[in-house]
Amino acid sequence: MSRATHPGACPLDCPDTCTWQLTVEDGRAVALRGDRDHPFTRGALCGKVNRYLDAVNGPDRLTHPLMRTGPKGVGPVSYRPASWDEAIGRVAAGLRASIDRDGPEAVLPYYFAGTMGLVQGWTMGPRLFAHLGASRLDTTICTAAARAALGSLLGGSVGFEPESIVDAKLIVLWGANLLSTNLHQWPFVQQARQRSAYVVTIDPLRTDTAARSDEHVAPLPGTDAALALGLMRLVRDAGAADRDWLAAHTVGWPELSARLDEWPAERAAAECGLDVEVVRRLGERIATTRPTAIRVGLGPQRHHGAGQAIRAICALSLVTGDFRYPGGGALCTTSGHHRVPLDPVVRPRDMPAPPARSINMSRLAAVLTGEADPPVTSLVVFNSNPAATAPDQRRLHAGLRRADLFTVVLEQRWTDTCDFADIVLPATMQPEHLDLQTSYGHHYTTLNLPATRAPGEALPNTEIFRRIAAALGLDHPRLRDSDEDLARQLLRDAPVSFEELRERTYARATGVAVGSAPYAEGGFPTPDGRARLLDPRLAGHGVDPLVGYTPPAEAADPELARRFPLVLISPAGRFLMNSTFASLPWHAGRTGPPRVHLHPDDAAARGLADGDAVRVHNDRGAFLAAVAVDDATRPGLAFTYKAYWARLSPGGTTVNAVTAVRDTDLGGGPTFHDTRVEVEPAPVELPAVETAPGPVRETAGPRG
């Protein structure tokens, strides 16, 4: 028996991008733990990934290509096994038929962060479709609003160095439930607390993180910008605006200062549904505490005014001048620090890539039901499960059932989206292929090398696309690049080489040092190095050029509120990673069946008790859940965890049956947290649910 340990990287959609140690016996992964030497992982894996090998070794892995023989939407009974040659030939024929009939833009690749690996996720597939002239995918479904907002304000997705948060004296976790979604940042926060830092969580819900913070501020969903403007007003009036730093390193402060006259604490508190003294106390604390670090999560960008919200929150750190100090400033994502540009790899200079339209992935339900002209008649899905994760689920499923839509899905196990496929192709998982991982939560790049054999005939995404290209008769040499070739191309301008990563596995690869203040003297990645509190370019997008407040759409609609009085948000849970683990027994068992959390006042007004079966609905659709009555939320606000699969849920729908196809003010992102619903008793019984007094509590610290 051979036994060895191999380093690698977690591929999942999480800012932590952990480095792990994988133990392999006779070609099979048998144990997994966090890398104890990695400066950010520190030996810990989260509750989700501690059981990652359940997914790798699960009996439900797809091992052979499958072809549909029956109706769409009914599951595996409609499929038969096929050889790779037969399946790839059918894929090529289907794509060619769409191109010949409707032009190349009738083909849409649909992909996202099922793996964050750059090689398997963001190179060969997009390269093939760019060369074909297929519609280009605008990957909006997660961070589009933040990318657009940060690009406007700071010139890119940049911020303070996350390990340096230990030097902060005040830490504001704004819409960031670290214990569920950024676990490895929490020990650094705790280290700062040991040095007397005060921790405030701003979140509509009393999350795990809020419960463990020194203070919890719970504004109404979608009012983050109003709160930020009120806090800036208090900072200014206290004489704590860093006017010298603002004059040297920003544009637009005089205009923003004038706007703050309109935002006294009373107005901000009223807009946010907060006691005015809560706003005043927080403003005074921010005004008098240097450095203050604001860690911005992804929650604030899930409503209509998301772009302005991210601009306003991060502008608060510009007004205080906290970017001067190590551990100070704002951070939403570190992506802009990683010098690994995708576009030159997807569309190399020596490879033709005809101009093509862009399609917003968050609008897939509308695209497949009439919005696109010419219509999309071929859909190729990889690293994504849109039938579960995209908004307006009922309309989306109707589009996926179209008889004239040819759908190909690359997958590791049978998902909701596979139900609608014409061809299902088995894909490898992280221990079975080469990949390159950057991070949106720290400054390390990691190389993942294959360590185990793939089950059955599963192939890496890259190899599947190489075979599709060959079957289409495309002979450009760039469509034959190996995975190592692709990794080397990605690293061409990076401060670390492929050879170094092969030797060391990971390296700090951004040029930003731990303990530094990278923007102490400005130098933001804007043309003049100044942050833009006023950005005239935004007027062309219909957005106020000056940092301000755009209210939520449904949440702030009084007429809609009369019919659907509850605002519903759908945050991430502790044991599910988007839709990746929803079918695995351990993860599903720990998460439990779908629940909708109601404040006791809202439950009593509807005659509902803990565990009752309910129907959550609006004009778009409905889903079934059990009630969890607790005070983790506030009156008028309900929440349910995202990531369930429709095919495994009671009634065959999930929370995305009620979410809308609606764009954020900047970036074209989705508005999952800007949804109004009503909750009523369900006409059916649901599986028994063991409810808790609040969200499941996560633990933090090295383990494994």
PDB file of all heavy atoms in Angstrom, residues 188 257 327 349 374 599 618:
ATOM      1  N   PHE A 188      -7.674  36.733  13.241  1.00  0.00           N
ATOM      2  CA  PHE A 188      -6.984  38.020  13.207  1.00  0.00           C
ATOM      3  C   PHE A 188      -7.804  39.079  13.942  1.00  0.00           C
ATOM      4  O   PHE A 188      -7.256  39.951  14.625  1.00  0.00           O
ATOM      5  CB  PHE A 188      -6.734  38.446  11.760  1.00  0.00           C
ATOM      6  CG  PHE A 188      -5.777  37.562  11.015  1.00  0.00           C
ATOM      7  CD1 PHE A 188      -6.246  36.513  10.224  1.00  0.00           C
ATOM      8  CD2 PHE A 188      -4.413  37.750  11.114  1.00  0.00           C
ATOM      9  CE1 PHE A 188      -5.370  35.693   9.537  1.00  0.00           C
ATOM     10  CE2 PHE A 188      -3.518  36.929  10.430  1.00  0.00           C
ATOM     11  CZ  PHE A 188      -3.999  35.899   9.641  1.00  0.00           C
ATOM     12  N   SER A 257     -18.978  66.760   1.310  1.00  0.00           N
ATOM     13  CA  SER A 257     -19.221  67.455   2.565  1.00  0.00           C
ATOM     14  C   SER A 257     -20.521  68.249   2.507  1.00  0.00           C
ATOM     15  O   SER A 257     -21.305  68.262   3.471  1.00  0.00           O
ATOM     16  CB  SER A 257     -18.052  68.381   2.894  1.00  0.00           C
ATOM     17  OG  SER A 257     -18.257  69.037   4.128  1.00  0.00           O
ATOM     18  N   GLY A 327      -3.581  48.434   9.223  1.00  0.00           N
ATOM     19  CA  GLY A 327      -4.768  47.948   9.905  1.00  0.00           C
ATOM     20  C   GLY A 327      -5.958  48.861   9.766  1.00  0.00           C
ATOM     21  O   GLY A 327      -7.022  48.574  10.315  1.00  0.00           O
ATOM     22  N   ARG A 349      -3.505  37.339 -28.096  1.00  0.00           N
ATOM     23  CA  ARG A 349      -3.344  38.218 -29.252  1.00  0.00           C
ATOM     24  C   ARG A 349      -3.238  37.454 -30.562  1.00  0.00           C
ATOM     25  O   ARG A 349      -3.629  37.954 -31.616  1.00  0.00           O
ATOM     26  CB  ARG A 349      -2.091  39.088 -29.069  1.00  0.00           C
ATOM     27  CG  ARG A 349      -2.224  40.140 -27.979  1.00  0.00           C
ATOM     28  CD  ARG A 349      -0.967  40.972 -27.889  1.00  0.00           C
ATOM     29  NE  ARG A 349      -1.069  41.994 -26.845  1.00  0.00           N
ATOM     30  CZ  ARG A 349      -0.097  42.834 -26.536  1.00  0.00           C
ATOM     31  NH1 ARG A 349       1.062  42.775 -27.191  1.00  0.00           N
ATOM     32  NH2 ARG A 349      -0.273  43.731 -25.588  1.00  0.00           N
ATOM     33  N   PRO A 374     -30.442  37.754 -31.141  1.00  0.00           N
ATOM     34  CA  PRO A 374     -31.105  36.480 -31.412  1.00  0.00           C
ATOM     35  C   PRO A 374     -31.228  35.631 -30.144  1.00  0.00           C
ATOM     36  O   PRO A 374     -30.462  35.820 -29.197  1.00  0.00           O
ATOM     37  CB  PRO A 374     -30.165  35.802 -32.424  1.00  0.00           C
ATOM     38  CG  PRO A 374     -28.817  36.378 -32.122  1.00  0.00           C
ATOM     39  CD  PRO A 374     -29.075  37.796 -31.750  1.00  0.00           C
ATOM     40  N   HIS A 599     -39.470  36.770  13.206  1.00  0.00           N
ATOM     41  CA  HIS A 599     -39.492  37.357  14.545  1.00  0.00           C
ATOM     42  C   HIS A 599     -40.766  36.882  15.254  1.00  0.00           C
ATOM     43  O   HIS A 599     -41.809  36.670  14.613  1.00  0.00           O
ATOM     44  CB  HIS A 599     -39.475  38.884  14.434  1.00  0.00           C
ATOM     45  CG  HIS A 599     -39.313  39.569  15.745  1.00  0.00           C
ATOM     46  ND1 HIS A 599     -40.389  39.883  16.556  1.00  0.00           N
ATOM     47  CD2 HIS A 599     -38.206  40.005  16.399  1.00  0.00           C
ATOM     48  CE1 HIS A 599     -39.948  40.486  17.641  1.00  0.00           C
ATOM     49  NE2 HIS A 599     -38.630  40.571  17.582  1.00  0.00           N
ATOM     50  N   ASN A 618     -44.736  35.311  -3.382  1.00  0.00           N
ATOM     51  CA  ASN A 618     -45.030  36.621  -3.947  1.00  0.00           C
ATOM     52  C   ASN A 618     -45.539  36.399  -5.363  1.00  0.00           C
ATOM     53  O   ASN A 618     -45.891  35.262  -5.730  1.00  0.00           O
ATOM     54  CB  ASN A 618     -43.830  37.574  -3.872  1.00  0.00           C
ATOM     55  CG  ASN A 618     -42.595  37.051  -4.591  1.00  0.00           C
ATOM     56  OD1 ASN A 618     -42.678  36.182  -5.475  1.00  0.00           O
ATOM     57  ND2 ASN A 618     -41.435  37.572  -4.228  1.00  0.00           N
TER      58      ASN A 618
END
